[in-house]
């Protein structure tokens, strides 16, 4: 039996990544990017979305690497599991936006795929060297994880996908007739559509063009295999999918699909070797069940895959595919079936107490915010005070029945003291010792009040010992003093002496909290920024009712900093270090909204000319080297201000702005062209390859002042260059009215 060829993904890389080694992440990216991208593309059928999911997958790998167990599940399988959940989450977002899953493929413009997916092909996937029988018996269950019945269903689903690819090819040929006579372009289309062969037949059934010239002039009558498609010549409505069959020319095992062009100008046929597989999307039943559940505010129920450590269903807003590591949950390796596990987690910037249990390989957890856990604390405190009042009044009533006026002063003193305590003055102490009975009563009341204060201190001690960055304070309008746990000053960066002063005077404390809250974040009003030796972020939530105020203060610095870091990393392309497509458009929109900052600008759309040749001849390692070399030229260009991004594949955009005169911009472009002409990459055996770039540009605001429109016009100019000779830049010329 043939050997199965898998990408070399080392478990040791994940171990190094878990230790914070960014070089290991870059090495893992180089090894696993192709299968990750292809797997995402098979689910999403959208090149842009697949690019985003690939980026997100490696970010999640960086965060979740500590949860990976060496010697367990295959490293690549673990990574693809994260890819699957991330891609499915992206599809569900599309559903919420009103795009049905079954229509997702129809929303993709084949011309976009024609431009953006040149490098993303499945031909280097790990199944390429297997024979048909081996794929049937070994590869399908291993790679897909499906049962034989499910594999049969998958084959039927693949037929529908093949029809989509064939229709996409027909669309391109019909709308871009100039590609028909260009062999390179035909092979490029086949590669982009992830098919092995692309054939064009005329209305008589003769093969006249395609990706394989050796088959030209074959007809539907040339052999038994090709006669399968003869009925299509008499019926425009037919679209046929042939089972895996030896082809007429070479006897090679192939599966062919054929459809008519919409204009009935001919038949388009695609052929695939059985090695080409798509991952079947399975409905996540747990995610549906959890979506139907309701919980109290502050309470979250979730389920996670124990092997991958990712969320597979949850109440609230936790996306499917979220690694547990991003929530602060790291599972012990010895966590077995039925084991209970408690841990602190971070959800929506709030720290939660969490209890979890493993059942059938599924980790089921329930979490609650500390606000929820301690929401009854004020009520319990007031219940104790109320009980003290009731006890005092009952005691007084009984004593009045039993004693004479000699002790009325003691009775009134007790009543007055208990009323002060009930009002919240817990610093007050009863000093009644005229009789042994009242002396003992006052001592007991003082001990009960002291116990209440001690309970507050114990709560502080508990928070301190478990290292929870949370503090609680309470006051009412009748209290001069503010009750607070000990960590309040540490979290709010208030020196001990100042804290003692503000806690002793409620008015000063209220002003201090107001001052701290004045430095809140724009996007989250409850979170305040504190300035000190290190920047700190705290969340302050208050609850008011019946003249009482309860405040909960939580240190959320770690969560906010991590969130800011993740947002920054999402904006950078991992291979080139340039901005991603999403980051470019967000930043460019801000610039175009401020013409004074933009001044005179130049927008360039660029495409590498020989990337496919380098990939096919020397491998993707040198293709990546070519991409990074070009990116370095764009990033290192000396300009007044610039914005460089990799839009997708081999497509780049460069925005030069902040110039006073157009001459400055033209000088920048000359420097760029000179650096491109001089650039080389070293190939095996000492050979060198030139860096060739085709591009189109226009000046802001000569033609228009809209970023999206300028990008479209620059793309038109670049396309003219690609069709007329490549390797140069051309300015967009506004058509004469």
């Amino acid at each position: 039996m043939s050997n199965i060829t898998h990408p070399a993904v080392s478990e040791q890389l994940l171990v190094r990544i878990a230790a914070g080694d960014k070089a290991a992440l870059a090495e893992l990216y180089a090894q696993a990017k192709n299968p990750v991208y292809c797997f995402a593309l098979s689910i999403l059928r959208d090149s842009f979305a697949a690019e985003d999911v690939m980026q997100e997958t490696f970010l999640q790998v960086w965060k979740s690497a500590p949860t990976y167990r060496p010697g367990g599940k295959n490293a690549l399988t673990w990574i693809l599991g994260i890819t699957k959940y991330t891609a499915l989450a992206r599809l569900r977002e599309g559903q919420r936006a009103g795009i049905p899953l079954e229509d997702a493929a129809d929303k993709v413009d084949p011309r976009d795929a024609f431009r953006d997916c040149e490098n993303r092909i499945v031909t280097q996937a790990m199944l390429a060297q297997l024979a048909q029988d081996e794929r049937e018996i070994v590869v399908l269950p291993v790679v897909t994880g499906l049962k034989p019945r499910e594999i049969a269903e998958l084959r039927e689903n693949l037929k529908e996908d093949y029809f989509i690819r064939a229709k996409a090819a027909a669309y391109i040929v019909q709308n871009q007739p100039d590609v028909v006579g260009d062999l390179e372009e035909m092979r490029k289309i086949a590669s982009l559509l992830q098919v092995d062969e692309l054939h064009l037949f005329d209305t008589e059934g003769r093969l006249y063009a395609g990706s394989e010239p050796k088959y030209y002039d074959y007809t539907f009558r040339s052999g038994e295999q090709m006669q399968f498609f003869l009925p299509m010549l008499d019926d425009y409505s037919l679209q046929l999918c042939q089972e895996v069959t030896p082809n007429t020319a070479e006897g090679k095992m192939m599966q062919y699909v054929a459809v008519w062009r919409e204009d009935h100008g001919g038949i388009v046929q695609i052929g695939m070797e059985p090695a080409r597989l798509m991952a079947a999307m399975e409905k996540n039943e747990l995610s549906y069940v959890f979506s139907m559940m309701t919980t109290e505010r502050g309470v979250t129920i979730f389920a996670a895959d124990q092997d991958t450590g990712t969320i597979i269903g949850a109440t609230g807003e936790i996306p499917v595919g979220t690694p547990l590591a991003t929530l602060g949950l790291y599972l012990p390796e010895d966590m077995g079936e039925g084991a209970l596990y408690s841990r602190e987690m971070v959800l929506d910037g709030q720290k939660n107490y969490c209890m979890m249990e493993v059942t059938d390989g599924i980790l089921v957890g329930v979490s609650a915010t500390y606000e929820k856990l301690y929401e009854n604390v004020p009520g319990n405190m007031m219940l104790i005070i109320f009980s003290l009042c009731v006890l005092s009044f009952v005691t007084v009533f009984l004593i009045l029945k039993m004693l004479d006026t000699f002790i009325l002063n003691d009775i009134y003193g007790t009543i007055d003291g208990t009323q002060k305590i009930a009002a919240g003055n817990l610093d007050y102490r009863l000093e009644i010792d005229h009789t042994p009975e009242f002396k003992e009563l006052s001592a007991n009341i003082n001990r009960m009040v002291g116990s209440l204060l001690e309970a507050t201190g114990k709560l502080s001690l508990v928070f301190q010992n478990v290292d929870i960055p949370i503090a609680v304070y309470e006051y009412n309008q009748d209290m001069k003093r503010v009750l607070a746990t000990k960590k309040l000053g540490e979290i709010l960066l208030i020196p001990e002496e100042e804290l003692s002063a503000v806690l002793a005077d409620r008015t000063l404390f209220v002003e201090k909290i107001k001052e701290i809250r004045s430095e809140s974040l724009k996007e989250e009003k409850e979170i305040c920024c504190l300035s000190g030796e290190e920047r700190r972020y705290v969340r302050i939530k208050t609850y008011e009712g019946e003249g009482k105020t309860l405040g909960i203060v939580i240190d959320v610095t770690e969560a906010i900093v991590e969130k800011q870091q993740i947002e920054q990393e999402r904006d950078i392309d991992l291979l080139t270090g340039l901005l991603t497509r999403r980051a470019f458009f967000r930043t460019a929109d801000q610039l175009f909204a401020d013409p004074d900052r933009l001044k005179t600008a130049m927008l360039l759309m660029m495409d590498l000319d020989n990337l496919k040749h380098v990939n096919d001849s020397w491998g993707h390692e040198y293709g990546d080297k070519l991409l990074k070399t070009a990116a370095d030229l764009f990033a290192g260009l000396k300009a007044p201000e610039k914005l460089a991004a990799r839009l997708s594949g081999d497509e780049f955009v460069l925005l030069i702005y902040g110039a006073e005169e157009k001459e400055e911009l033209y000088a920048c472009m000359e420097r760029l062209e000179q650096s491109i002409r001089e650039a080389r990459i070293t190939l095996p055996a000492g050979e060198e390859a030139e860096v060739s770039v085709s591009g189109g540009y226009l000046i802001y605001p000569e033609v228009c002042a809209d970023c999206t429109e300028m990008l479209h016009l620059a793309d038109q100019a670049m396309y003219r260059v690609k069709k007329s000779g490549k390797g140069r830049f051309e300015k967009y010329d506004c058509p004469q009215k």
Side-chain angles (χ1 to χ4, degrees):
M1 185 174 288
S2 303
N3 294 327
I4 302 176
T5 302
H6 294 282
V9 178
S10 172
E11 287 186 341
Q12 291 303 313
L13 289 178
L14 292 175
V15 175
R16 290 167 53 193
I17 293 171
D21 188 345
K22 292 188 176 181
L25 179 64
E27 189 175 345
L28 180 70
Y29 176 84
Q31 294 183 5
K33 64 176 182 175
N34 280 345
V36 169
Y37 175 85
C38 295
F39 190 49
L41 185 62
S42 72
I43 297 174
L44 299 168
R45 305 179 187 177
D46 185 325
S47 59
F48 293 147
E51 288 264 6
D52 289 344
V53 167
M54 181 177 70
Q55 296 280 346
E56 183 68 23
T57 295
F58 285 101
L59 286 174
Q60 299 294 6
V61 168
W62 174 257
K63 299 296 181 183
S64 305
T67 67
Y68 178 74
R69 302 174 182 175
K73 185 175 288 188
N74 179 274
L76 182 60
T77 304
W78 182 79
I79 296 170
L80 293 179
I82 296 175
T83 307
K84 173 184 176 183
Y85 287 121
T86 305
L88 291 177
R90 176 63 65 91
L91 283 177
R92 293 186 181 90
E93 290 177 2
Q95 281 187 303
R96 290 195 289 271
I99 305 173
L101 290 180
E102 62 269 18
D103 296 337
D106 295 334
K107 305 302 180 182
V108 182
D109 189 339
R111 290 172 294 180
D112 292 338
F114 182 70
R115 289 193 298 266
D116 299 325
C117 290
E118 179 177 351
N119 235 1
R120 308 298 184 183
I121 57 177
V122 187
T123 56
Q124 297 191 7
M126 46 189 180
L127 309 178
Q129 300 183 13
L130 294 182
Q132 172 69 10
D133 294 339
E134 295 170 331
R135 297 183 184 106
E136 296 280 343
I137 299 172
V138 180
V139 179
L140 287 176
V142 172
V143 175
T144 66
L146 302 178
K147 299 176 181 177
R149 176 182 57 81
E150 295 171 318
I151 292 173
E153 296 175 356
L154 177 59
R155 292 197 189 98
E156 292 300 317
N157 294 333
L158 287 176
K159 290 183 179 181
E160 294 300 321
D161 174 71
Y162 294 158
F163 283 127
I164 292 173
R165 300 188 194 197
K167 291 177 181 179
Y171 181 92
I172 295 173
V173 171
Q174 183 176 326
N175 289 274
Q176 300 186 36
D178 55 336
V179 305
V180 173
D182 191 330
L183 178 60
E184 182 180 352
E185 292 296 326
M186 296 300 294
R187 288 177 172 174
K188 186 177 183 180
I189 295 172
S191 175
L192 298 178
L193 294 176
Q194 300 179 317
V195 301
D196 296 295
E197 297 176 9
L198 172 62
H199 306 306
L200 305 183
F201 292 83
D202 60 22
T203 56
E204 301 298 323
R206 182 182 67 86
L207 199 162
Y208 68 94
S211 63
E212 301 294 331
K214 60 185 177 182
Y215 298 154
Y216 289 177
D217 293 326
Y218 275 82
T219 72
F220 286 161
R221 296 176 176 82
S222 297
E224 181 180 354
Q225 177 265 320
M226 299 192 69
Q227 290 175 4
F228 176 83
F229 298 96
L230 269 174
M232 294 186 66
L233 299 179
D234 301 320
D235 190 347
Y236 291 132
S237 66
L238 281 182
Q239 56 180 30
L240 299 180
C241 178
Q242 191 177 38
E243 296 297 329
V244 178
T245 307
N247 68 4
T248 300
E250 302 172 295
K252 182 172 61 175
M253 299 298 293
M254 295 289 293
Q255 183 170 20
Y256 291 100
V257 174
V259 299
W260 275 97
R261 289 169 42 173
E262 290 186 358
D263 61 359
H264 300 159
I267 296 173
V268 176
Q269 185 189 74
I270 62 172
M272 289 132 313
E273 295 183 17
R276 293 193 178 269
L277 299 173
M278 290 184 64
M281 295 182 294
E282 301 174 359
K283 181 179 180 182
N284 193 329
E285 297 180 356
L286 279 177
S287 65
Y288 175 78
V289 172
F290 276 93
S291 69
M292 303 297 293
M293 297 175 63
T294 57
T295 59
E296 296 184 26
R297 182 180 60 83
V299 178
T300 302
I301 305 174
F302 63 88
D305 188 309
Q306 189 182 10
D307 292 328
T308 63
T310 55
I311 296 292
I312 58 178
T315 61
E317 299 298 325
I318 304 179
V320 173
T322 301
L324 293 178
T326 64
L327 304 177
L329 294 176
Y330 297 92
L331 306 181
E333 295 185 1
D334 59 347
M335 188 173 183
E337 190 77 13
L340 287 173
Y341 183 60
S342 62
R343 189 65 185 264
E344 188 178 77
M345 63 181 284
V346 178
L347 185 59
D348 295 331
Q350 289 186 293
K351 294 209 173 174
N352 287 237
Y353 181 78
C354 180
M355 293 290 296
M356 297 169 289
E357 182 179 2
V358 175
T359 303
D360 295 329
I362 302 297
L363 185 71
V364 180
V366 180
S367 70
T369 63
Y370 287 100
E371 170 192 324
K372 182 69 177 178
L373 293 176
Y374 294 103
E375 65 181 359
N376 295 323
V377 171
N380 293 336
M381 294 176 65
M382 298 312 301
L383 180 62
I384 295 174
I385 295 174
F386 178 77
S387 300
L388 292 174
C389 294
V390 172
L391 177 62
S392 301
F393 284 119
V394 170
T395 303
V396 170
F397 178 78
L398 294 175
I399 292 175
L400 285 174
K401 295 293 186 181
M402 298 173 59
L403 304 177
D404 58 14
T405 56
F406 176 77
I407 58 172
L408 285 179
N409 290 333
D410 288 350
I411 294 175
Y412 292 140
T414 302
I415 294 174
D416 181 67
T418 54
Q419 287 177 337
K420 292 179 179 178
I421 294 172
N425 187 2
L426 301 182
D427 292 328
Y428 185 84
R429 294 293 183 269
L430 291 176
E431 301 292 343
I432 300 174
D433 57 0
H434 294 148
T435 64
E437 293 80 7
F438 276 93
K439 183 177 181 180
E440 184 178 356
L441 175 63
S442 62
N444 288 335
I445 293 175
N446 290 337
R447 280 196 294 271
M448 294 179 70
V449 175
S451 297
L452 180 62
L453 294 174
E454 186 180 359
T456 302
K458 288 181 178 179
L459 183 62
S460 299
L461 186 61
V462 170
F463 285 163
Q464 184 173 354
N465 287 338
V466 298
D467 199 26
I468 299 175
I470 183 174
V472 180
Y473 65 86
E474 182 188 19
Y475 62 87
N476 61 40
Q477 300 303 318
D478 297 321
M479 294 172 58
K480 183 179 181 181
R481 176 180 180 84
V482 177
L483 298 177
T485 55
K486 292 182 179 180
K487 275 198 172 184
L488 183 65
E490 177 184 343
I491 295 176
L492 294 180
L493 301 180
I494 303 175
E496 186 175 350
E497 293 184 1
E498 182 183 357
L499 180 64
S500 299
V502 298
L503 290 179
D505 189 335
R506 173 174 52 82
T507 303
L508 294 177
F509 181 83
V510 172
E511 290 296 323
K512 186 65 176 179
I513 294 297
K514 187 181 295 184
E515 177 187 340
I516 293 173
R517 280 185 151 177
S518 66
E519 300 293 330
S520 61
L521 300 181
K522 293 182 179 180
E523 60 274 15
E524 296 188 73
K525 299 297 183 184
E526 290 183 348
I527 297 180
C528 309
C529 180
L530 305 178
S531 298
E533 294 183 359
E534 297 182 357
R535 189 176 296 273
R536 177 174 292 181
Y537 299 92
V538 298
R539 185 186 300 274
I540 302 178
K541 301 193 69 171
T542 59
Y543 303 89
E544 298 182 359
E546 299 180 356
K548 304 176 182 64
T549 300
L550 173 70
I552 299 176
V553 182
I554 306 172
D555 188 344
V556 294
T557 302
E558 183 179 351
I560 295 297
V561 172
E562 184 176 4
K563 179 180 178 182
Q564 292 173 345
Q565 183 179 356
I566 290 174
E567 289 295 329
Q568 183 180 0
E569 292 175 348
R570 285 177 177 174
D571 290 342
I572 303 300
D573 180 70
L574 290 176
L575 176 63
T576 64
L578 302 182
L579 294 178
T580 62
R581 183 185 191 93
R582 178 174 54 187
F584 173 80
F585 280 107
R586 184 181 67 249
T587 308
D589 287 343
Q590 295 172 355
L591 287 172
F592 276 79
D594 187 3
D596 293 337
R597 183 182 177 189
L598 201 59
K599 297 183 180 179
T600 304
M602 174 185 289
L603 183 67
L604 298 97
M605 278 288 296
M606 299 172 291
D607 193 294
L608 296 186
D609 296 325
N610 54 355
L611 179 61
K612 184 178 184 302
H613 174 71
V614 172
N615 283 333
D616 293 344
S617 301
W618 294 282
H620 286 268
E621 176 184 356
Y622 292 92
D624 290 348
K625 189 175 182 180
L626 181 62
L627 287 168
K628 288 188 283 188
T629 300
D632 290 342
L633 297 178
F634 306 148
L637 177 65
K638 184 179 180 182
E641 298 284 346
K642 65 178 182 291
L643 207 62
R646 181 189 181 193
L647 296 185
S648 64
D650 61 353
E651 195 170 70
F652 297 83
V653 62
L654 180 64
L655 175 64
I656 305 172
Y657 65 97
E660 299 294 339
E661 302 290 340
K662 292 189 293 184
E663 286 70 21
E664 292 183 61
L665 302 175
Y666 289 123
C668 290
M669 190 174 68
E670 289 179 1
R671 289 194 293 272
L672 178 61
E673 289 178 314
Q674 180 64 29
S675 63
I676 293 173
R677 285 193 296 269
E678 297 173 353
R680 300 288 189 278
I681 65 167
T682 303
L683 301 172
E687 299 181 46
E688 290 186 345
E690 296 180 352
V691 178
S692 179
V693 180
S694 298
Y697 69 94
L698 66 164
I699 304 297
Y700 168 94
E702 286 184 350
V703 180
C704 65
D706 179 78
C707 179
T708 302
E709 180 64 18
M710 288 184 66
L711 202 64
H712 175 69
L713 297 178
D715 187 58
Q716 291 183 12
M718 181 187 73
Y719 184 77
R720 288 196 298 269
V721 173
K722 296 284 286 186
K723 298 298 293 182
S724 63
K726 303 181 180 179
R728 59 187 180 84
F729 292 84
E730 181 176 306
K731 184 179 181 182
Y732 175 82
D733 293 323
C734 184
Q736 299 296 322
K737 295 184 178 179

